[in-house]
Amino acid sequence: MADGAIFAKKPELALAQHKFAVFNGTPEQRTEALQKLSDGIKQDKMVDFYAQLVNEGVFENDAALAKELEAGSTAQLAELDKNYAEAKEEHGDLEQNESSIHRAVFFAQIGAEDRAHAAYEEVLQRPTTTLNQKLDIVFGKLRLGLFAYNPQIIQKEIERAHELVNKGGDWDRRNRLKAIECIWHCSQRQFKEASDLFIECLSTFASPELMSMAEFVCHGALACAVVMTRADIKKKVLDAPEVVEVMGAIPAVERMLRSLYECNYASFFVALADVETQHLRVSRYLFAHRRYFTREMRIRAYAQLLESYLSLTLKSMAESFGVSQEFIDSELSRFVAAGRLHCVIDKVGGIVVTNRPDTKNAQYQRTVNQGDLLLNRIQKLAGIVSM
């Protein structure tokens, strides 16, 4: 128990992901998710979580199953209460705290969120609780927040975990916190922060209780796709040994990144659609950003192609992406009007003319404006001093 691994595994976050897939996945994904939810609930005697799913319409009420889960969880709680009583009579503070943490973990396991938070907090406030135990408790509360997807709790516990880690947390706990933060930043559309943490902890990822290595690589690689340069995507993501090892489990992500790097835009569009269906739509952390992600990736691909030409025809551009000229015309018009692409569309001639921004002139104008602002402030200050 000293390493905190036992405390970090409940509730199973995969079950929250399966629940999400029931509502947002394809029919095949929904069927698979329902079966895995049922198996997980029975295995962990998740009486409270089962009741929640019945109320939400995921399952029809099964009185016999509910009774079985209630009996199993009651027996397990009685055993934990007995262990705590023995620890209180026969052992010291360390063992008593560990028994209490196990009891809080049990409440988390069955889906009794409020009781779990209260039990964790009670142990956390004890003067006899060690630093590592406090960290294990905070990770447990963080896990509860992730399971229920409660942003307030997640942010609060991440900040609390940082405070404790800075007081002397070990390498394992520091690394686990980085992995959690990476996924949290993904869920908040903070892809730059997520990509930095992903690269930092990729080679030392050891948090299977958070998600599998393939799932972690999927989220991290998608974050990198939005913010990294083409060269960095190749060097830090596609060629990373840890990524190469699991890419077979997420082929759509690999095809999207590789086709973008190799400028195979028709393949890129197909892969992007697969990424949306297979990953973005069923990820609790990325679902809300699926339209943003696909839009940004399309803009990135258009800009990458346009950078290579002074001008090109709408027909050739449409052929490059494997779409119709009408679609390309509509897409480019929208993104040009929004200032996201620097080109001009000649509809009469059917030509797209690139219009690269003059960065040097922009820097000069910015410097002049800042200089004028500084001179105005100096003049005001001089006037005050002379008075």
Side-chain angles (χ1 to χ4, degrees):
M1 288 185 291
D3 63 359
I6 293 176
F7 307 147
K9 294 182 179 178
K10 303 296 177 182
E12 294 285 353
L13 292 180
L15 295 179
Q17 179 59 50
H18 296 325
K19 173 188 170 183
F20 191 83
V22 168
F23 292 106
N24 300 285
T26 62
E28 295 78 10
Q29 290 169 331
R30 173 182 167 82
T31 300
E32 181 182 2
L34 283 170
Q35 184 58 54
K36 290 183 176 180
L37 270 176
S38 178
D39 294 342
I41 287 170
K42 293 174 182 177
Q43 179 178 339
D44 283 345
K45 305 294 186 291
M46 302 181 72
V47 58
D48 290 66
F49 186 51
Y50 176 70
Q52 176 188 332
L53 294 180
V54 169
N55 289 334
E56 295 176 359
V58 177
F59 291 118
E60 293 184 2
N61 187 35
D62 185 335
L65 176 58
K67 185 177 180 180
E68 177 187 339
L69 295 174
E70 182 69 39
S73 62
T74 300
Q76 194 170 345
L77 179 58
E79 183 67 23
L80 290 168
D81 288 340
K82 178 183 175 182
N83 292 341
Y84 176 70
E86 291 178 357
K88 196 170 183 179
E89 292 179 5
E90 303 174 9
H91 301 287
D93 294 331
L94 181 64
E95 290 77 13
Q96 291 178 39
N97 291 339
E98 288 183 345
S99 294
S100 296
I101 295 173
H102 270 295
R103 192 170 182 272
V105 171
F106 166 75
F107 289 134
Q109 172 185 309
I110 65 173
E113 182 183 357
D114 292 341
R115 297 175 73 183
H117 275 299
Y120 274 133
E121 201 64 37
E122 189 273 328
V123 187
L124 187 64
Q125 300 305 323
R126 292 179 188 175
T128 58
T129 306
T130 66
L131 176 62
N132 282 342
Q133 286 177 336
K134 288 180 178 180
L135 274 166
D136 292 331
I137 290 169
V138 170
F139 278 121
K141 288 173 68 65
L142 238 178
R143 193 171 185 81
L144 278 170
L146 288 170
F147 188 82
Y149 200 76
N150 188 319
Q152 290 76 23
I153 290 177
I154 296 170
Q155 191 60 48
K156 174 185 174 182
E157 299 306 331
I158 284 178
E159 293 172 1
R160 186 185 276 183
H162 270 292
E163 293 176 4
L164 293 171
V165 162
N166 291 335
K167 292 180 180 178
D170 59 23
W171 173 88
D172 176 66
R173 289 173 174 83
R174 289 175 183 271
N175 202 51
R176 283 166 56 195
L177 180 57
K178 289 179 182 179
I180 291 172
E181 283 191 282
C182 172
I183 300 303
W184 175 240
H185 283 308
C186 283
S187 74
Q188 300 302 295
R189 201 187 288 181
Q190 297 165 344
F191 292 129
K192 178 63 172 67
E193 293 84 348
S195 65
D196 290 342
L197 285 168
F198 171 70
I199 298 301
E200 188 176 344
C201 65
L202 176 60
S203 62
T204 55
F205 177 78
S207 302
E209 75 284 350
L210 175 65
M211 58 178 54
S212 69
M213 181 63 172
E215 290 174 307
F216 183 69
V217 168
C218 175
H219 285 77
L222 293 179
C224 292
V226 179
V227 298
M228 276 190 177
T229 64
R230 180 165 163 260
D232 279 346
I233 288 176
K234 179 70 165 64
K235 178 181 178 181
K236 297 181 179 180
V237 181
L238 285 172
D239 290 346
E242 298 81 8
V243 174
V244 172
E245 186 177 350
V246 300
M247 272 302 189
I250 47 174
V253 176
E254 180 185 21
R255 282 189 286 110
M256 184 194 75
L257 293 176
R258 196 168 296 282
S259 58
L260 180 66
Y261 176 77
E262 295 174 351
C263 304
N264 187 347
Y265 300 112
S267 176
F268 167 79
F269 258 29
V270 174
L272 181 61
D274 290 339
V275 165
E276 181 179 12
T277 303
Q278 298 172 20
H279 301 291
L280 298 177
R281 289 192 62 85
V282 293
S283 169
R284 295 195 303 144
Y285 308 110
L286 296 175
F287 177 81
H289 314 302
R290 65 194 187 284
R291 291 179 180 174
Y292 170 85
F293 180 87
T294 54
R295 181 178 69 249
E296 290 301 307
M297 293 307 296
R298 296 200 310 275
I299 290 173
R300 176 164 193 167
Y302 295 144
Q304 183 171 293
L305 175 62
L306 290 171
E307 283 177 0
S308 304
Y309 300 92
L310 290 175
S311 66
L312 71 165
T313 64
L314 282 170
K315 180 181 179 181
S316 66
M317 193 168 182
E319 290 174 350
S320 295
F321 284 94
V323 296
S324 67
Q325 292 187 51
E326 292 76 12
F327 178 84
I328 282 290
D329 186 14
S330 174
E331 286 268 280
L332 293 183
S333 298
R334 182 155 56 95
F335 294 141
V336 168
R340 301 301 309 279
L341 289 175
H342 303 288
C343 61
V344 176
I345 304 173
D346 179 359
K347 290 190 176 183
V348 176
I351 297 173
V352 180
V353 181
T354 58
N355 182 22
R356 296 181 180 85
D358 188 346
T359 55
K360 288 186 177 180
N361 186 54
Q363 290 174 354
Y364 172 76
Q365 291 296 332
R366 187 162 55 249
T367 302
V368 170
N369 292 336
Q370 291 173 346
D372 289 341
L373 180 61
L374 178 60
L375 287 174
N376 289 336
R377 289 178 177 174
I378 291 174
Q379 288 173 355
K380 290 180 181 179
L381 181 60
I384 295 173
V385 171
S386 63
M387 292 174 62

